[in-house]
Amino acid sequence: MSTTAPTFESTRAGAAPGTSPTGDAGAGVLPVLAVDLVTAPPLLDGLAPLARGLEEAGIGALTLSDGGLHPIHVAAHLAPLTRGLGLLPRTDAVYVEPFHLATQLMSLDHISHGRAGWLLQAETDPSAAAAVGRDLLGLEATAREAADVLVAARRVWDSWAPDAVVRDTERGVYVDASRLQYADVEAETFSVRGPAITPRSPQGLLPVLVADTDRGAVGERASTELVDGRVLDLDVSGGARAEQLAARIASARDEGATGSASTVVRLVRLVGLDLEADPLGTARELAAELRARDLVSGTSAPGRTLRELLGLPEAPFDLDPARRADRARLTREESA
Amino acid sequence: MTTAQFPTLAESGLSPEAAELVTGPDEHPIHPEHTPTGQLAFGVFFQGVNSSTIWRLPSSGDQVAWESFETLIRTAERGKFAAFFLGEGLRLREHRGVPFELDVAGRPDAQTLLAALAAVTKDIGLVATQNTTYNDPVDLARRLQTLDLLSAGRAGWNIVTTDNAWTGENFRRGGYLDHADRYTHAEAFVQVAEQYWRGEQVAHDGAHYSVRAQGDLPRSAQGRPVLFQAGASPAGQDFAARTADVIFSPHGSLAAAVEFRRSIVERTVAAGRDPGSVKILPGAEIVLAPTEAEAEEKIRWVRDLQIGPEQAIALLEQYWGRDLSEFDPEGPLPDVPPEVVESGVTRGSGFQFAKAEELTRQWREEAAQKGQSILEFARAKSGSRRGAFTGSYDAVADRLVEFARLGAIDGLNITPWLIPSGLDDIVDHLIPRLQERGVYPTEYAGSTLRENLGLPPV
Ligand SMILES: Cc1cc2nc3c(=O)[nH]c(=O)nc-3n(C[C@H](O)[C@H](O)[C@H](O)COP(=O)(O)O)c2cc1C
């Protein structure tokens, strides 16, 4: 498919194709190449052919940035229209109801058969606070809250065991409460009891990433300790030259090789792709060139989860005895 | 579309039950201000959480799998259904402090799912049940408008007002709202949403919050999402008469439906609106078979599968407030006093209060009189709560024609008792008969939900 032969030696000579040389925490594969779509209403004209075309052009994921239409809805709409693309809405963690946000994202994961992820963002625009009747938080409080909401969302996602729906016709039991756990989140500015109103989604824990441009607002804790990896943003609004982009990816990859798991570049995001011009042609060309240089992974494959595409291990499920959802019954049985 | 020339009501041979309800000429058979359209629209109500969905059969499909929803909505669209509804409950139902294990539980977020279903359907409306107490109005309005734009004018919002503090434990505000204030709150909430949809500046300072926003999305093909309301109290009916396009009512007999229509017409006129601008779609189950006898047998089979012995005991435990597992489901109702003052119905949207002492005594007497076991009593109670159109294909079609001609209802919101095949016999056998009788569309009237419900433009 690639018509352009690599123009310079792979900087990773010796590494097996499709694997990263870093070999550190969880980094087993090349980053996924994503295109960012801004959800302005005109995007709706020709959205389906655009998404399918990008998928065929070798793009591995789409990120949806807020341009008016709700990014989670647009991502959900794209799920049945695409086959293997990762779908990552970029959406605020702060001026939202954490329980709703968690439910919406895990629902996106069900609908897309495990292709959902979250580009966590922290709003610093006063209008976002005013829209929900809250005061704008200071920078530190914003960062604390973004981290708290991320932790809460994971608690909600993780509140049903994968095998909680038992459909036991003998006992007449549909869902086994001993395989559910409360979220029991008591954060500084909110609390969430749980469990989820949605069964565990295919990935269990959705990959959570923070775009480079959002790291400042999201803060240190969420964007370094809590996330599943790094996003490298490449602005292609002024045109894109594959050599320059390749150099940026290579250097970000080398930085990631020495840091923690969260510094491993999982997603390379093309931002500002001109949708009026020839977006599919540009995407196809860049995808081919970057793949030929072994800098991004191959085409997304239907049937694989986003965690798999990003090289993240399967999310484990652990039942926390203190949060068991059947604790009231256990207490009754003990006292009886 | 058929706007058939009807025979007069007398000529069409109304049943005695229906004839008795007629109080005026054919143009206004049940209320002087209400003209029946003679047409029915169907919705499918995917509840996802309750005892009406049978999960025990080999044909019981996955309750969260995309494929289940896609199959069901495609069948509904084949049957020219006007709308696909999703229910909502913002806390997992509990029984005696533990997530309720015996019914189907857990469903995807309504709007997220509908945004995806919009991509695989063309005509059917997409209605999300969304609560006013635990949402932010600007956020909800923006989501609904996004859904309306993604679906080219097919979005609807079923406005519900569940307000208990137990649900509030999942949200920032907790149990901040008094039950008595649920509708004043909802009304302010809907006003904010409507301003936002009109692209106006929102500056709301109310009892519960102050919000500022600017509506900045384009108008959808139907102007704004269609507003449904589900809530049957007098306050709920008044709210609907002032605000809603469609009322999602509990199902009753023809007489109850006529009475409900009259009540809504009065309230709609009092609110200064044209009574034809508020449609009524009761929720209903439909159990069909080729013959009446087979249908009788089938509804018993359905009820048996919906309410097993464990569920029957659990139903009583909600009112007794204590463990009743030592009682035989085949035996009489427990002859022990309740341990609570007020019943705590398995929590969810059906939460209600009743004086336990009085209610349990009444129930014991009722069951003894009818000679019912715990199991029979529970099945009868939950069955009557739901209501059903049961019978042969022709008999059910004929009954629905009477509902349509009197103008008692504008359609039904049908809860399938099996997912995803539960609409098959309705679409294959009932709808063709309704079409032959001229009360059901043979084609979609238009491309928006408003048009397909026969609502006037915004
Ligand atoms: C047919 C019907 C369906 C309903 N479905 C839901 C639902 O899915 N979720 C929910 O929270 N409430 C649901 N409700 C209840 C509403 O929350 C309503 O606001 C509540 O009954 C309180 O209003 P009321 O006192 O006027 O009845 C439903 C009510 C009716 C009548």
Side-chain angles (χ1 to χ4, degrees):
Chain A
M1 176 124 185
S2 165
T3 49
T4 333
T7 50
F8 55 85
E9 295 259 2
S10 164
T11 49
R12 309 198 294 95
T19 59
S20 149
T22 60
D24 79 357
V29 294
L30 293 170
V32 169
L33 184 63
V35 164
D36 185 58
L37 299 179
V38 179
T39 66
L43 178 70
L44 292 184
D45 300 324
L47 178 60
L50 175 66
R52 287 199 192 102
L54 288 171
E55 182 159 28
E56 279 159 21
I59 297 299
L62 297 178
T63 64
L64 290 311
S65 287
D66 197 341
L69 300 168
H70 202 286
I72 296 178
H73 278 29
V74 177
H77 192 71
L78 289 172
L81 297 172
T82 54
R83 297 174 63 227
L85 282 178
L87 297 166
L88 299 97
R90 173 171 168 262
T91 191
D92 179 35
V94 178
Y95 300 102
V96 294
E97 279 290 355
F99 187 75
H100 283 317
L101 178 65
T103 307
Q104 289 152 5
L105 288 167
M106 72 194 291
S107 299
L108 177 64
D109 200 41
H110 277 290
I111 291 159
S112 64
H113 299 99
R115 293 187 280 133
W118 178 21
L119 276 196
L120 185 150
Q121 184 200 350
E123 277 287 2
T124 51
D125 183 339
S127 69
V132 294
R134 289 174 60 192
D135 294 328
L136 188 70
L137 299 176
L139 277 183
E140 271 180 36
T142 301
R144 279 203 306 278
E145 184 146 333
D148 285 349
V149 171
L150 169 52
V151 171
R154 285 195 177 132
R155 283 275 182 97
V156 173
W157 295 339
D158 214 21
S159 59
W160 290 51
D163 58 356
V165 174
V166 292
R167 291 179 182 246
D168 181 341
T169 46
E170 293 282 298
R171 289 163 52 226
V173 170
Y174 178 83
V175 58
D176 182 346
S178 73
R179 302 182 198 186
L180 304 178
Q181 56 192 345
Y182 287 104
D184 280 344
V185 173
E186 300 292 342
E188 194 179 321
T189 62
F190 66 91
S191 57
V192 175
R193 178 66 58 232
I197 49 177
T198 308
R200 189 180 186 81
S201 76
Q203 297 182 96
L205 303 181
L206 279 66
V208 180
L209 304 170
V210 176
D212 279 350
T213 39
D214 292 321
R215 288 170 68 102
V218 166
E220 271 302 294
R221 178 155 178 253
S223 52
T224 61
E225 283 171 42
L226 299 176
V227 287
D228 292 305
R230 179 172 170 206
V231 179
L232 177 65
D233 284 346
L234 299 176
D235 187 346
V236 293
S237 57
R241 288 196 37 237
E243 289 79 19
Q244 286 174 347
L245 301 184
R248 296 263 322 267
I249 299 170
S251 86
R253 186 198 56 205
D254 295 342
E255 288 163 30
T258 52
S260 68
S262 70
T263 63
V264 176
V265 179
R266 302 278 174 191
L267 205 68
V268 172
R269 192 169 75 123
L270 305 178
V271 181
L273 188 66
D274 185 353
L275 297 183
E276 303 274 287
D278 177 20
L280 300 184
T282 311
R284 188 173 298 115
E285 200 176 304
L286 290 179
E289 296 218 14
L290 297 175
R291 286 220 308 264
R293 290 173 167 88
D294 256 349
L295 288 169
V296 297
S297 70
T299 317
S300 61
R304 292 178 70 195
T305 66
L306 183 58
R307 290 189 76 90
E308 286 169 334
L309 280 178
L310 296 173
L312 295 167
E314 204 173 301
F317 176 79
D318 295 308
L319 203 57
D320 176 354
R323 294 191 285 123
R324 283 182 65 138
D326 62 345
R327 61 196 175 199
R329 181 164 59 201
L330 295 177
T331 310
R332 270 201 302 273
E333 280 166 7
E334 270 164 29
S335 64
Chain B
M1 227 194 81
T2 28
T3 34
Q5 286 297 308
F6 295 119
T8 64
L9 289 170
E11 281 165 3
S12 69
L14 288 183
S15 65
E17 184 202 1
E20 202 160 290
L21 295 165
V22 173
T23 53
D26 286 9
E27 311 80 67
H28 314 293
I30 58 172
H31 193 284
E33 311 231 32
H34 184 254
T35 312
T37 62
Q39 293 294 302
L40 298 175
F42 281 178
V44 49
F45 184 37
F46 191 108
Q47 296 204 18
V49 165
N50 57 20
S51 64
S52 72
T53 312
I54 296 169
W55 55 263
R56 301 158 207 265
L57 291 172
S59 52
S60 301
D62 191 304
Q63 287 287 317
V64 286
W66 165 253
E67 290 70 18
S68 296
F69 295 100
E70 196 182 12
T71 303
L72 193 71
I73 201 167
R74 284 191 193 282
T75 309
E77 203 165 45
R78 181 162 65 81
K80 314 293 177 208
F81 274 55
F84 184 84
F85 268 69
L86 294 170
E88 179 203 66
L90 295 174
R91 182 152 175 187
L92 202 61
R93 292 168 70 209
E94 287 185 356
H95 180 63
R96 308 189 70 220
V98 177
F100 191 54
E101 296 177 301
L102 309 181
D103 290 344
V104 166
R107 52 189 157 189
D109 173 64
Q111 283 204 57
T112 309
L113 177 56
L114 293 174
L117 289 170
V120 298
T121 53
K122 199 163 101 352
D123 298 304
I124 194 166
L126 304 162
V127 186
T129 300
Q130 303 273 271
N131 171 286
T132 50
T133 308
Y134 296 111
N135 273 294
D136 290 300
V138 170
D139 174 64
L140 189 68
R142 175 158 91 108
R143 281 172 197 280
L144 286 164
Q145 195 168 2
T146 300
L147 181 63
D148 213 14
L149 290 166
L150 284 172
S151 62
R154 295 187 281 137
W157 171 20
N158 181 31
I159 305 166
V160 296
T161 58
T162 303
D163 53 70
N164 58 69
W166 172 80
T167 301
E169 286 182 15
N170 282 335
F171 299 99
R172 289 180 183 272
R173 290 190 190 90
Y176 71 101
L177 192 64
D178 279 346
H179 186 65
D181 295 337
R182 69 196 183 287
Y183 282 113
T184 46
H185 175 74
E187 204 144 349
F189 190 113
V190 174
Q191 272 167 17
V192 167
E194 289 187 320
Q195 284 177 333
Y196 184 86
W197 292 330
R198 285 193 298 263
E200 292 169 6
Q201 184 116 31
V202 175
H204 169 83
D205 293 295
H208 303 288
Y209 43 62
S210 301
V211 296
R212 297 285 179 279
Q214 172 68 54
D216 54 4
L217 289 172
R219 226 178 109 94
S220 83
Q222 61 174 354
R224 60 158 170 78
V226 174
L227 300 179
F228 292 69
Q229 185 270 355
S233 62
Q237 291 185 39
D238 277 330
F239 170 67
R242 283 194 299 271
T243 314
D245 300 307
V246 187
I247 300 178
F248 178 20
S249 62
H251 168 67
S253 61
L254 180 57
V258 166
E259 192 185 321
F260 190 75
R261 167 73 80 189
R262 287 180 179 140
S263 167
I264 294 300
V265 169
E266 299 288 336
R267 292 170 202 268
T268 309
V269 171
R273 296 175 72 199
D274 173 356
S277 62
V278 181
K279 305 291 180 189
I280 301 178
L281 257 65
E285 282 181 315
I286 296 188
V287 180
L288 299 169
T291 66
E292 288 289 293
E294 286 166 279
E296 271 305 303
E297 206 170 304
K298 191 164 167 185
I299 181 99
R300 271 197 302 278
W301 174 75
V302 168
R303 294 282 181 254
D304 288 1
L305 285 165
Q306 286 172 325
I307 306 285
E310 305 84 5
Q311 278 134 312
I313 295 289
L315 176 82
L316 298 192
E317 285 177 346
Q318 293 157 29
Y319 297 89
W320 263 261
R322 50 175 286 179
D323 179 16
L324 298 173
S325 57
E326 80 261 31
F327 289 91
D328 178 6
E330 307 285 351
L333 263 61
D335 194 14
V336 292
E339 278 179 10
V340 288
V341 183
E342 273 178 350
S343 67
V345 172
T346 292
R347 288 173 141 177
S349 63
F351 185 80
Q352 55 185 260
F353 305 97
K355 300 278 168 267
E357 185 74 56
E358 202 178 300
L359 188 85
T360 55
R361 187 172 38 74
Q362 270 173 19
W363 279 11
R364 263 197 304 270
E365 283 165 14
E366 187 185 328
Q369 208 174 29
K370 294 181 179 163
Q372 287 171 325
S373 67
I374 289 177
L375 196 48
E376 288 163 338
F377 179 81
R379 283 174 181 160
K381 267 278 169 278
S382 47
S384 69
R385 214 187 287 165
R386 274 198 282 272
F389 286 91
T390 308
S392 70
Y393 307 134
D394 283 307
V396 171
D398 288 339
R399 268 175 66 207
L400 284 171
V401 167
E402 290 197 330
F403 275 77
R405 295 210 173 147
L406 291 187
I409 60 175
D410 297 294
L412 292 176
N413 206 2
I414 299 166
T415 295
W417 39 267
L418 207 53
I419 301 296
S421 61
L423 292 181
D424 293 0
D425 58 354
I426 295 169
V427 170
D428 294 335
H429 298 293
L430 179 63
I431 285 177
R433 285 170 171 80
L434 294 172
Q435 287 166 332
E436 275 166 29
R437 288 159 172 79
V439 301
Y440 192 89
T442 52
E443 291 300 334
Y444 281 101
S447 66
T448 67
L449 177 56
R450 285 199 85 76
E451 290 170 281
N452 291 321
L453 289 167
L455 288 164
V458 174

